[in-house]
Amino acid sequence: MSNDLSRAETLSLSVFSIACLAVLANTFQGNGEPLIASLAFSGIAFSFTYSLIRWLAQTFIGAGLKGRDMSKLRKPELPETMGAVCAVVYLLTLITFIPFPFYQDIVAATSGGGNRDVIVERQPSLADGRVLHRFPHSKLASYLSALLSLQSVVILGIADDLFDIRWRHKLFIPAFAAIPMLVVYFVDYGVTNVVVPVQLEPYLGTLLDLGWIYYAYMACVAIFCPNSINILAGINGIEVSQSIVIAVLLLLNDILSLYTAPASPSPHPATDPHLFSIYLLLPFIGVSTALWWHNWYPAKVFVGDTYCYFAGMVFAIVGILGHFSKTLLLTFIPQIINFLYSSPQLFRVMPCPRHRLPHFNSRTGLLEPSMTEWQHPPNRVVTGALKLLASLPVPLVAIRENDKGAITQSSNLTLLNLWLVWFGPMKEDRLAVGITGAQMVVGIMGLFVRHKLALLVFRQDNRR
């Protein structure tokens, strides 16, 4: 991959960036138009990320941040940890964007703002002449806590890429990064009630207060989202592709949640949380698309663990601070399935090699299910379970036996290997397309259940 942009790329990115800057400048003519500004910032972030990946690729290789693509015949050496570039541009974009969601509040709070109604009544304890404007400090605190959590997880992700932290140590990294977000949630929102399904109301009432259990649940979401993307990896483009699909699905959920009937005189009660989600998702899609451009098959760069942590934390933040963490999990169904399917290896019931990516057959150029070696035959329970799973009409594992019928090898338990067990050997890009397509289809079905079938379980939907 060339370090320099081609003339066509330079021209295209320059024109695109200038157009985005013009749109951004035009937003100041009205009320700030934060949604339009966010779109413009997303376009600029795409251009910067695309350019920086090209310019910094050889620098990363020179610094030792490199790896070999094991699913290629010649196993080329590629720059690694390029997700850090993506994350840094994203953070700078969010920081620069801060004035736009609060444009009207900032203008109203300055002399000459022309909006005398946006004030808080004077309190008796205040000195005469002081007037306090209703600046949305809680919204700003949520935004800044999101930034702090993202910065923390990016730093920890880079540390993981540099020092190759063990799984048992890095599993809880996102939980530490989520502390600022959870503290702000506790101070400014603090709701730990969950709506009880209609069928359980006679036993539990309409609302159930989970107390500290709800915070433990949110911490688990913050741990699960980054790590679940990290374990569904191993082929070109899959980490970024699944992240873009999840971001698009969450953006669609925001649009559906913000939709109100034409006859409704009042704004949607969840407007601010879903707008907050959109402000975080649009730039994420911008920087991720630029990274995807270089990471898709045949990959020119690797994303590194930093991107997985960063992407997962973005989703955890929009789900928790956007107050739709349960809907978030509906877009993570393939990741949940992959985690549950991988559990026997993750929890050492079965041998778990360090890398479980599919095996590349250099003779055919296709990917095949990778196998894990059993140094000693598994016990009767594990043997029976593996043979049962392998004999199902839709097999859930592939096994190899010796002459005595003892299992010597079994396929690694990842969704990528399972896909190859089902559909046979295939090219790397075809496997990535299949998994990404399944992510999209399952996610759309999840959103359909959320927005069309919710009233079968709950008394009211978020739009009624």
Side-chain angles (χ1 to χ4, degrees):
M1 180 180 68
S2 173
N3 282 358
D4 299 322
L5 297 171
S6 68
R7 181 175 299 178
E9 288 174 325
T10 302
L11 180 61
S12 300
L13 291 173
S14 298
V15 171
F16 183 59
S17 299
I18 291 171
C20 290
L21 286 171
V23 171
L24 195 59
N26 191 55
T27 60
F28 288 106
Q29 304 301 318
N31 294 323
E33 300 296 344
L35 272 179
I36 304 299
S38 182
L39 277 170
F41 271 112
S42 303
I44 296 170
F46 168 83
S47 298
F48 267 93
T49 305
Y50 188 99
S51 302
L52 286 172
I53 288 174
R54 296 290 289 276
W55 295 335
L56 296 176
Q58 291 303 317
T59 302
F60 274 53
I61 291 178
L65 297 173
K66 56 187 177 181
R68 293 197 175 274
D69 193 340
M70 304 303 293
S71 297
K72 303 294 184 298
L73 185 61
R74 297 185 177 180
K75 295 178 173 50
E77 198 172 62
L78 303 179
E80 205 165 13
T81 319
M82 298 307 291
V85 175
C86 179
V88 169
V89 173
Y90 177 80
L91 289 170
L92 292 175
T93 302
L94 290 188
I95 291 171
T96 311
F97 178 69
I98 288 176
F100 289 85
F102 306 99
Y103 178 80
Q104 286 181 300
D105 303 294
I106 293 172
V107 171
T110 59
S111 58
N115 192 346
R116 298 181 179 178
D117 295 327
V118 189
I119 59 174
V120 174
E121 293 296 330
R122 188 168 58 200
Q123 302 298 322
S125 59
L126 295 177
D128 289 341
R130 289 194 63 187
V131 176
L132 298 179
H133 293 270
R134 285 199 188 103
F135 185 86
H137 292 284
S138 60
K139 288 169 57 178
L140 180 59
S142 295
Y143 194 94
L144 295 178
S145 71
L147 271 174
L148 187 55
S149 290
L150 285 169
Q151 289 172 343
S152 302
V153 83
V154 168
I155 292 172
L156 294 171
I158 293 174
D160 182 24
D161 279 326
L162 290 176
F163 304 113
D164 199 14
I165 303 172
R166 292 182 177 273
W167 263 104
R168 63 176 176 267
H169 298 144
K170 68 182 181 181
L171 179 65
F172 298 101
I173 283 176
F176 292 103
I179 290 174
M181 169 183 60
L182 295 179
V183 168
V184 169
Y185 183 93
F186 173 78
V187 172
D188 287 338
Y189 194 66
V191 175
T192 56
N193 295 321
V194 293
V195 179
V196 176
V198 175
Q199 294 80 0
L200 297 179
E201 284 184 0
Y203 310 101
L204 301 176
T206 56
L207 291 175
L208 178 64
D209 187 7
L210 297 179
W212 66 269
I213 298 176
Y214 193 79
Y215 289 95
Y217 157 73
M218 290 190 290
C220 290
V221 170
I223 293 172
F224 174 77
C225 290
N227 285 295
S228 66
I229 293 175
N230 204 12
I231 64 175
L232 184 53
I235 61 174
N236 291 172
I238 192 63
E239 298 98 329
V240 188
S241 296
Q242 63 181 300
S243 299
I244 291 175
V245 168
I246 292 171
V248 170
L249 290 170
L250 293 176
L251 195 61
L252 178 61
N253 174 67
D254 290 325
I255 294 171
L256 292 172
S257 298
L258 289 172
Y259 172 78
T260 53
S264 176
S266 58
H268 193 282
T271 296
D272 285 341
H274 284 288
L275 286 176
F276 170 85
S277 171
I278 292 174
Y279 298 153
L280 265 63
L281 290 174
L282 287 178
F284 175 80
I285 293 173
V287 297
S288 295
T289 302
L291 183 60
W292 176 89
W293 203 285
H294 295 87
N295 183 241
W296 184 253
Y297 179 90
K300 304 175 184 65
V301 302
F302 290 140
V303 300
D305 289 340
T306 303
Y307 180 81
C308 299
Y309 285 123
F310 152 66
M313 185 55 71
V314 170
F315 300 141
I317 286 170
V318 299
I320 292 171
L321 295 184
H323 311 311
F324 55 87
S325 58
K326 295 182 289 296
T327 303
L328 169 69
L329 295 180
L330 292 176
T331 65
F332 269 79
I333 291 176
Q335 284 72 23
I336 294 172
I337 293 173
N338 184 59
F339 171 75
L340 295 175
Y341 183 63
S342 299
S343 293
Q345 286 190 303
L346 296 179
F347 295 105
R348 305 297 177 178
V349 176
M350 296 173 56
C352 184
R354 182 167 180 78
H355 297 291
R356 301 182 296 160
L357 64 158
H359 170 69
F360 175 70
N361 189 323
S362 58
R363 184 176 59 83
T364 63
L366 302 178
L367 294 182
E368 301 172 348
S370 62
M371 309 295 287
T372 185
E373 299 280 347
W374 288 87
Q375 300 298 328
H376 305 283
N379 60 48
R380 292 182 180 180
V381 175
V382 175
T383 297
L386 288 175
K387 289 186 176 182
L388 175 63
L389 294 175
S391 63
L392 294 174
V394 180
L396 296 180
V397 68
I399 59 174
R400 293 173 184 168
E401 303 175 74
N402 60 19
D403 296 338
K404 299 179 181 180
I407 296 176
T408 58
Q409 292 181 328
S410 60
S411 58
N412 283 307
L413 303 182
T414 70
L415 201 55
L416 297 176
N417 286 307
L418 181 60
W419 197 271
L420 293 170
V421 170
W422 286 345
F423 301 106
M426 63 181 67
K427 289 183 69 66
E428 189 173 0
D429 55 341
R430 185 181 167 195
L431 175 59
V433 168
I435 296 295
T436 304
Q439 178 93 48
M440 177 64 77
V441 171
V442 173
I444 291 175
M445 291 172 60
L447 292 184
F448 175 80
V449 170
R450 167 65 187 87
H451 290 276
K452 292 297 182 182
L453 304 182
L455 291 178
L456 296 178
V457 180
F458 301 103
R459 289 194 178 276
Q460 61 181 10
D461 192 7
N462 61 350
R463 294 182 293 167
R464 300 185 181 184

